[in-house]
Amino acid sequence: MKLDNLKNKIWLYFTFFSVFILAGLWLFQVIFFNAYYEYQKSLQLTRIANKIEASYNTNTFEATLDEVAFQNDVCIEVISGELVRYSSMSLSKGCLDNNTEAYTYKKTFIESGLARKKYTIVNSRFKNKTLIYAMHLEEDVYIFINASIEPLESTTKILASQLVYATIIVLLLSFFLAYFVSKKVSSPIVKLKDAALEMSKGNYQIDFTSDSDIKELDDLASTLNQAKEELSKTEQLRREFLANVSHDLKTPLTMIKAYAEMVRDLTYKDTEKRNANLNTIIDETERLNLLVGDLLELSKIQSDVDCLCLETFDLNTLILNILDKFKYLEETKGYQFLYESKENRIVLADSRKMEQVIYNLIGNAINYVGKDKTVLVSIIEIEDTYKVCITDHGKGIDEEELDRIWDKYYKVDKTHQRNTYGTGLGLSIVKNILVKHNYVYGVQSKKKEGSTFYFIVPKAK
Ligand code: ADP
């Protein structure tokens, strides 16, 4: 039988536990019963001796002796010189006969000069034991407390025969109980394990249920269900991502090939047409370049190879520099960038990556700009932080899309059309950088009114 599975282990531990308890019972009830009884008696005598000593020289001394002797069934004798000052002979059994040879212990104790001593005397005829506690109270006053040790063989025998039945019953019961308990605990775990195995093969249709009344197992089942949902979402995104990347790589490549062939076979003599074709090839190459660049950037940020190079810099200067790059759009295409320069917005961050974030967000605002062709950039000081906002008055984003636009290659427009503006990775790069910085970020948007993308940077200390 294999013992390394949960069911057998629980069963084994349960059985071991019962055997252990039973062994303890046998030891204490049968094997050490006599010794334990004697030990308890001896402790009792010490307690009695202390009590007597405490009441010595008080009015209640004799009453205490009577009470103690009667209640504990011990024999007490107080000897003063040759006189027996007190004896509880009439109140209790267990008193030694004065004529027995055992009585010599009194003499021995008195001669020893000790304060207290315990003796055990065995009756040579009946083999029963008597415990004696001898105490020297003062000058010639001695107290002897006797307690006879009852022979317990017959009691032990009865207990042993009872224990035999108890052992059999308990062992059988624990055997079956262990079997049911182990089955109850292990079967939902085995079920969860089977479901997890199924999921590892890529089947996300399975459901994790524990069917048990054990809280931890129910929690495990719901955690596994959550993990399954996340995994299937990731898997779905991975598939979409792969399909989108291949699509976006393939389209410009097909165009480059087609236009190059056109130049080779048809338009090479016509300068104007040839240049137009070559320009398309250059544009498509540029797109490919952008896409591959973004893909590399994203994978770099997501992997831990690229860590943050933190430095203190002025956010205001950074924004002015980025806006400078878009200046040509103001002059050539009538765009308007509104930004009130505020000095000394010092933060501690990776400036190259922050530049990328702001660049991507302004780029998106330009791509999805409204009829007013205006993009607003602002830095709002909130306590120890700066909130950077980039606003446009464009088409806005549906509320249910707001969470998902940060996924790579997620398009609000589900038909993955060729993207005229970005690569579909811009916001994903933004999110990854801000998450790496641990910054709060988000978007507020209303359909047909526009969007505000924001992130919050703590001030440098
Ligand atoms: P893309 O290259 O498609 O812009 P992004 O990752 O930058 O890729 O953005 C993801 C999607 O979020 C976009 O396809 C677009 O639908 C939406 N989006 C991003 N910025 C804006 C904006 N300022 N206004 C409206 N929609 C936006």
Side-chain angles (χ1 to χ4, degrees):
M1 184 168 70
K2 275 185 94 182
L3 289 178
D4 59 352
N5 66 31
L6 182 69
K7 199 160 115 185
N8 289 344
K9 279 237 161 91
I10 294 178
W11 175 80
L12 202 70
Y13 291 148
F14 222 91
T15 312
F16 265 143
F17 180 69
S18 326
V19 170
F20 184 74
I21 298 275
L22 285 170
L25 268 178
W26 273 92
L27 276 180
F28 286 105
Q29 295 279 49
V30 178
I31 300 168
F32 296 134
F33 193 55
N34 258 324
Y36 184 71
Y37 170 66
E38 275 185 47
Y39 171 70
Q40 283 300 328
K41 269 277 175 206
S42 155
L43 281 184
Q44 187 191 28
L45 288 191
T46 312
R47 275 198 303 272
I48 291 170
N50 290 339
K51 196 170 175 183
I52 292 172
E53 191 179 28
S55 71
Y56 185 62
N57 277 341
T58 63
N59 296 338
T60 55
F61 181 55
E62 289 226 351
T64 308
L65 293 174
D66 281 349
E67 183 197 321
V68 168
F70 183 70
Q71 277 179 359
N72 299 288
D73 206 11
V74 291
C75 180
I76 304 170
E77 253 184 343
V78 182
I79 295 173
S80 179
E82 293 295 303
L83 277 170
V84 175
R85 252 179 64 184
Y86 171 87
S87 169
S88 65
M89 193 77 98
S90 56
L91 290 167
S92 47
K93 44 184 188 155
C95 288
L96 287 169
D97 185 343
N98 269 347
N99 296 329
T100 58
E101 81 261 42
Y103 209 55
T104 48
Y105 74 90
K106 287 185 181 171
K107 215 169 143 246
T108 324
F109 178 70
I110 291 167
E111 281 167 3
S112 73
L114 291 167
R116 288 176 178 218
K117 189 166 167 68
K118 276 182 192 167
Y119 297 88
T120 308
I121 291 171
V122 182
N123 184 315
S124 50
R125 219 176 119 207
F126 301 109
K127 298 279 181 247
N128 67 323
K129 284 185 186 170
T130 302
L131 268 183
I132 298 147
Y133 196 100
M135 183 161 57
H136 183 191
L137 269 187
E138 62 169 39
E139 276 186 61
D140 58 349
V141 181
Y142 294 88
I143 294 187
F144 298 94
I145 311 159
N146 306 338
S148 66
I149 304 278
E150 306 292 338
L152 293 174
E153 273 72 26
S154 57
T155 320
T156 327
K157 264 191 194 148
I158 295 170
L159 275 176
S161 68
Q162 229 183 28
L163 265 182
V164 170
Y165 293 115
T167 306
I168 295 169
I169 293 169
V170 169
L171 271 182
L172 279 176
L173 259 178
S174 74
F175 189 88
F176 286 112
L177 206 66
Y179 178 76
F180 286 115
V181 169
S182 60
K183 214 172 146 187
K184 196 167 168 50
V185 175
S186 75
S187 58
I189 293 180
V190 171
K191 220 172 130 192
L192 289 175
K193 184 207 78 183
D194 290 343
L197 196 73
E198 194 58 29
M199 184 176 77
S200 73
K201 290 177 190 154
N203 177 6
Y204 296 107
Q205 305 303 319
I206 40 113
D207 210 19
F208 289 96
T209 44
S210 82
D211 287 344
S212 76
D213 45 12
I214 302 167
K215 188 179 171 297
E216 282 81 358
L217 287 179
D218 289 345
D219 289 351
L220 177 66
S222 68
T223 312
L224 282 169
N225 273 327
Q226 270 171 26
K228 180 197 75 179
E229 294 298 328
E230 288 304 314
L231 272 175
S232 79
K233 243 193 255 167
T234 315
E235 177 62 18
Q236 174 76 9
L237 278 175
R238 193 187 63 82
R239 280 202 202 121
E240 277 173 20
F241 179 64
L242 208 66
N244 291 338
V245 170
S246 0
H247 176 269
D248 271 12
L249 285 175
K250 203 167 178 331
T251 317
L253 281 176
T254 316
M255 283 178 75
I256 289 168
K257 184 170 178 255
Y259 279 94
E261 280 171 355
M262 202 150 33
V263 173
R264 186 193 64 194
D265 300 337
L266 301 170
T267 60
Y268 60 96
K269 280 187 195 146
D270 183 337
T271 322
E272 204 178 313
K273 279 188 183 161
R274 187 191 61 206
N275 281 350
N277 290 160
L278 288 176
N279 278 339
T280 314
I281 292 176
I282 292 167
D283 283 351
E284 290 305 310
T285 324
E286 188 51 37
R287 259 196 73 71
L288 273 181
N289 216 1
L290 260 176
L291 180 66
V292 174
D294 271 2
L295 279 173
L296 280 177
E297 187 67 31
L298 189 63
S299 77
K300 233 167 50 181
I301 297 167
Q302 282 181 334
S303 68
D304 282 330
V305 183
D306 196 25
C307 50
L308 296 177
C309 306
L310 297 182
E311 56 183 319
T312 43
F313 60 91
D314 186 5
L315 210 52
N316 178 55
T317 318
L318 186 80
I319 292 176
L320 284 174
N321 285 343
I322 298 168
L323 285 176
D324 246 9
K325 291 185 190 163
F326 290 108
K327 214 163 186 94
Y328 73 97
L329 286 175
E330 279 188 325
E331 287 147 15
T332 56
K333 302 233 163 110
Y335 279 84
Q336 211 187 352
F337 296 102
L338 298 181
Y339 174 61
E340 255 180 57
S341 165
K342 284 146 193 136
E343 275 177 17
N344 283 337
R345 297 295 186 237
I346 309 295
V347 294
L348 177 72
D350 185 323
S351 67
R352 203 187 65 77
K353 293 206 168 69
M354 289 324 283
E355 180 179 354
Q356 170 111 51
V357 167
I358 298 167
Y359 189 90
N360 283 8
L361 292 179
I362 296 181
N364 274 356
I366 294 169
N367 289 341
Y368 302 100
V369 79
K371 284 194 186 108
D372 61 354
K373 288 202 165 184
T374 304
V375 175
L376 278 99
V377 183
S378 64
I379 302 181
I380 307 161
E381 191 175 352
I382 307 170
E383 290 168 9
D384 286 343
T385 59
Y386 296 122
K387 184 176 181 184
V388 181
C389 301
I390 291 113
T391 307
D392 64 70
H393 302 123
K395 59 177 183 165
I397 306 161
D398 265 343
E399 212 172 308
E400 56 267 27
E401 309 284 351
L402 284 179
D403 279 343
R404 310 212 61 192
I405 53 169
W406 307 92
D407 293 339
K408 37 180 182 283
Y409 259 120
Y410 185 77
K411 302 268 170 195
V412 172
D413 180 3
K414 291 286 178 319
T415 55
H416 181 78
Q417 282 162 2
R418 191 171 149 76
N419 197 328
T420 20
Y421 315 120
T423 55
L425 299 172
L427 283 184
S428 188
I429 293 175
V430 168
K431 172 186 159 180
N432 275 281
I433 292 176
L434 294 175
V435 166
K436 259 203 161 162
H437 276 84
N438 250 335
Y439 292 168
V440 175
Y441 67 93
V443 54
Q444 281 158 348
S445 187
K446 232 179 174 183
K447 272 305 241 188
K448 292 189 183 138
E449 283 185 23
S451 324
T452 297
F453 284 79
Y454 66 87
F455 60 93
I456 297 172
V457 194
K459 288 179 188 172
K461 294 213 169 83

